[in-house]
Amino acid sequence: MNARKDTEKEKQVHFFLDHDTYQQQMTNTIRRFFNAIRKDDYTIHTTTENYLYGTFKHLFADIAIDILNEQWQKEDERNEQAFLANVEQQLNNKQ
């Protein structure tokens, strides 16, 4: 999957697609892709391969952003705990 590789390089994050949430998102993306192709509509101005690539590139970018947000949230929680432990230690040292 070129879209996945490109997204991983851009966002500098690696992810596995076996998570249930990602499987559901991929299923929905594939359905949207085939529904758009099935329509006799000229809104797709590129080839179907390019449209499929773009569709999955957006999906993988969303997944990467979700993963990065989770990592940042965990890091913030660790930093907050370390800060509170440091403050508590300083208060104990003053007494």
Side-chain angles (χ1 to χ4, degrees):
M1 298 220 131
N2 292 334
R4 178 181 167 195
K5 289 178 188 176
D6 292 345
T7 302
E8 287 178 341
K9 283 182 185 178
E10 283 178 18
K11 304 291 183 187
Q12 297 178 349
V13 65
H14 182 71
F15 50 88
F16 298 101
L17 298 175
D18 59 350
H19 195 274
D20 290 339
T21 304
Y22 304 150
Q23 290 295 323
Q24 186 61 41
Q25 288 176 339
M26 288 181 65
T27 301
N28 291 341
T29 300
I30 291 170
R31 284 184 183 145
R32 280 195 306 270
F33 169 76
F34 282 116
N35 286 339
I37 297 299
R38 200 174 307 135
K39 289 181 184 178
D40 200 19
D41 193 4
Y42 293 102
T43 58
I44 301 173
H45 299 290
T46 61
T47 63
T48 55
E49 291 86 9
N50 289 342
Y51 185 71
L52 181 63
Y53 172 83
T55 302
F56 273 94
K57 183 108 162 60
H58 282 289
L59 170 68
F60 295 141
D62 290 343
I63 291 172
I65 289 170
D66 289 344
I67 290 171
L68 289 173
N69 284 337
E70 287 176 15
Q71 290 175 354
W72 290 331
Q73 185 177 10
K74 288 178 184 177
E75 186 176 324
D76 285 345
E77 289 172 4
R78 283 193 303 264
N79 289 341
E80 183 178 349
Q81 290 172 354
F83 174 76
L84 292 175
N86 188 16
V87 168
E88 184 177 327
Q89 183 181 17
Q90 289 177 359
L91 289 174
N92 289 337
N93 289 341
K94 287 185 178 180
Q95 293 175 356

